[in-house]
Amino acid sequence: MKPAAILAALGITMLIYNVPHLWRDDGSASGYGHGAFFGILFVFGALWRAFAQEDK
């Protein structure tokens, strides 16, 4: 598998797991924000590797 595919799969998995848990039932923030943040970074990193590197 290409590194971009692995990075995208990991990022999407992190988002699916972390985003529903960002806020508690009382509206306060939970500790899952870092996982969602890094999931977004992984997805953007995968898109960068997949599309920006083709120009070479």
Side-chain angles (χ1 to χ4, degrees):
M1 286 180 74
K2 292 185 176 185
I6 295 170
L7 197 62
L10 182 61
I12 290 169
T13 303
M14 290 177 73
L15 287 174
I16 289 171
Y17 178 76
N18 289 302
V19 169
H21 302 289
L22 284 177
W23 294 275
R24 297 186 180 106
D25 291 336
D26 62 357
S28 63
S30 67
Y32 288 89
H34 289 91
F37 175 73
F38 284 109
I40 291 169
L41 285 181
F42 286 171
V43 169
F44 281 126
L47 291 173
W48 179 269
R49 278 189 70 94
F51 295 110
Q53 300 297 328
E54 290 181 3
D55 293 339
K56 292 182 179 179

